[in-house]
Each structure stands twice: as structure tokens, then as C-alpha cells.
Amino acid sequence: MYAICHLSIVPLRDEASHKSEQISQLLYGELCFIIKEEDDWCYVRTDYDKYEGWVEARQLCPISETTYEEAKKVIPRYASDMVDYVQVSEKDYDLLPICIGATVSNAPFIGHLFSGEVQRKILRKNIVEIALKYLNTPYIWGGKSPFGIDEAGFVQMVYKIMGIPIPRDIFSQYEAIEKSIPTLDDAEVGDLIFFNNNMGQIIHVGILIQTGYIIHAYGKVRVDRIIPKGIYDVDAQEITHTIYAIKRILDDDEKKIT
């Protein structure tokens, strides 16, 4: 059975309980496959990144396999404004707020109307513009919205809006991106920089937005100095994260979302 997220932001939980840990989120328009049902909960696999978890059944809109297949034929478009809305009925006042990254190309499949802005180009400067829209977003584990986001969700959403899918988790992102960059001097805007703890485990990721500066989710989405040793907190005057690796996703500055 298939379903679509027809609400703004829906938590994906580790267990079938509102008290359970939020491990990710579904944003408006995302598709998922319902693996099993238990009382008022559905265990789902997200279509975008294959993440699995529990969602309250009332927060999903079931769709047929035919509708799912039709939705998959549509080139995905994502809301690019921080906050926007869809019209959910013929009444002008019947609106649903949505946020940046919502899959608005799926609105027609649940009878909604979207007439706002979407991202259409893949340019390095656009990566910076999109990333900065999340500036000061509070850190929330499992979050993917401008109202709360974690480090891996942040980099995933920035590239998602650009039309480039990457995994949900930090280590999966590191493994999935093949091109490694040898040094910080060789890094370019848009490159992902991964960081490790003193045991060598990859624990953090951010995006290079300018030579010597990185944007990342650490307490909140913030811009910090980046030097060969790692992230330098100017206020605390200390290295907060140690560089493990640098990976590159985008090579062609003139790509467009087709």
C-alpha cells in the first residue's frame, strides 16, 4: 500500500508511539510505502531516501498503486521559499502552510493547488543561497525543516532542492559520494566536509559556502570558519570539529533541473 504526506511536517518515529524518538520527518508531498500497520500507526519506507520508521496513520493519505506510478512519472519540484502554502479546496481561505523542500509537484495527486516558487537551476551560487535560507534554524534530531533540522538532514535538504538526491544519514552520505577531495585548499563551494570524533567515527557534516567558511547544523544552522584542522569557533576560540574527509557532488556549474 502506498501513501503521500498531505500535511506540512510529519515525524517519522523509531517506535509506534508519540513518545518515541523522532528519527526523521516526512515533508508535504513525500511518497512512502506502507510496510505494515499496527493499531493507529503505519510502518513505512520513504520513497525518496528509503528511510524506515513509524508514522501515525492519520498523518498519511493512502493512494493507489496507479496514483503512485503516475506520481513517479512527474519530474519532482520542490518549494524554494522558506514558507509557502497550498490551497486544499476551492475555498480561497482553505490553505495549508508548507515549507522549503516540500514536494509540491505531487500536490495535484491529493487535489491541492500550488502556485509558488520552485528551484529550477543547479548552480554553485544556488547551493549557497539555499543553504543560507536555513540560517539560524534550531538543531532538532531527525529534523528536515527550517523549524528544526539536524546536520545530515540539512545537507540532504539543500541538495534535494537542487534536484540531487543523497542519503539521510551522515555515514551513508560519506559512502555514497564517490569523489574525494585531497585537501581543503582543493575544495570548492558546495563540497561536503565530514568530521570525526577522537575514535575516528564520522559524526558531523557541513557544506563549504566560501573559501574558509562552512555552514552546518550545530546548536543551530550557523556559519563558521573552516581551517585545515577543522571548524574553528571564533567566539570560543577553539576547534570544535576535526576534518575527516571532503567529498564533491557537483562538478558542472551549468547544470539545470530538466
Side-chain angles (χ1 to χ4, degrees):
M1 183 185 298
Y2 296 93
I4 188 169
C5 180
H6 64 302
L7 301 175
S8 307
I9 306 165
V10 171
L12 188 70
R13 300 192 181 277
D14 188 44
E15 298 177 358
S17 168
H18 288 296
K19 296 180 180 180
S20 178
E21 176 186 22
Q22 174 182 267
I23 56 175
S24 191
Q25 292 176 332
L26 288 172
L27 300 188
Y28 176 84
E30 285 196 64
L31 300 169
C32 63
F33 177 73
I34 299 175
I35 298 173
K36 61 181 178 180
E37 298 178 78
E38 184 178 296
D39 297 327
D40 295 328
W41 292 83
C42 297
Y43 188 76
V44 307
R45 180 187 303 117
T46 63
D47 193 72
Y48 183 75
D49 55 20
K50 312 306 178 189
Y51 223 64
E52 295 185 6
W54 291 93
V55 177
E56 186 183 11
R58 284 181 287 269
Q59 296 186 314
L60 291 173
C61 178
I63 57 173
S64 66
E65 184 173 357
T66 301
T67 300
Y68 170 80
E69 294 297 338
E70 287 298 315
K72 291 292 289 181
K73 294 176 183 177
V74 176
I75 296 173
R77 294 282 188 253
Y78 306 108
S80 58
D81 286 335
M82 180 78 77
V83 178
D84 214 318
Y85 64 88
V86 291
Q87 188 172 331
V88 302
S89 75
E90 294 181 355
K91 298 174 182 177
D92 292 341
Y93 60 80
D94 197 2
L95 306 176
L96 172 74
I98 60 171
C99 67
I100 185 172
T103 312
V104 292
S105 50
N106 285 340
F109 296 105
I110 43 179
H112 294 176
L113 175 65
F114 175 77
S115 55
E117 294 294 321
V118 297
Q119 187 68 28
R120 295 187 181 276
K121 294 183 178 179
I122 303 177
L123 305 172
R124 290 193 187 279
K125 66 177 183 179
N126 296 133
I127 292 176
V128 176
E129 290 171 1
I130 292 169
L132 288 174
K133 288 183 179 182
Y134 288 91
L135 195 63
N136 295 313
T137 295
Y139 182 96
I140 292 181
W141 176 255
K144 299 199 309 182
S145 86
F147 306 107
I149 204 162
D150 61 30
E151 59 268 70
F154 170 61
V155 299
Q156 184 195 47
M157 289 306 302
V158 170
Y159 271 95
K160 177 181 180 178
I161 295 163
M162 299 292 291
I164 302 173
I166 62 174
R168 177 67 178 85
D169 290 335
I170 295 175
F171 188 71
S172 298
Q173 291 172 353
Y174 169 77
E175 287 195 316
I177 303 167
E178 296 181 356
K179 187 168 185 178
S180 296
I181 306 303
T183 70
L184 188 60
D185 288 338
D186 300 307
E188 297 181 2
V189 170
D191 288 350
L192 298 191
I193 305 180
F194 294 86
F195 303 87
N196 63 285
N197 59 17
N198 55 16
M199 299 179 65
Q201 300 169 319
I202 301 173
I203 59 167
H204 195 66
V205 64
I207 304 171
L208 189 72
I209 58 167
Q210 181 183 330
T211 301
Y213 291 90
I214 187 172
I215 188 168
H216 63 131
Y218 183 55
K220 64 178 181 179
V221 176
R222 53 187 284 166
V223 176
D224 280 309
R225 292 295 308 275
I226 180 77
I227 61 177
K229 287 184 178 180
I231 297 176
Y232 181 71
D233 186 329
V234 175
D235 295 329
Q237 295 189 352
E238 64 179 8
I239 301 292
T240 59
H241 299 80
T242 304
I243 292 179
Y244 180 83
I246 304 171
K247 296 285 189 106
R248 179 165 299 159
I249 298 174
L250 186 61
D251 281 321
D252 182 358
D253 276 353
E254 298 305 324
K255 278 185 180 178
K256 293 184 179 180
I257 301 175
T258 56

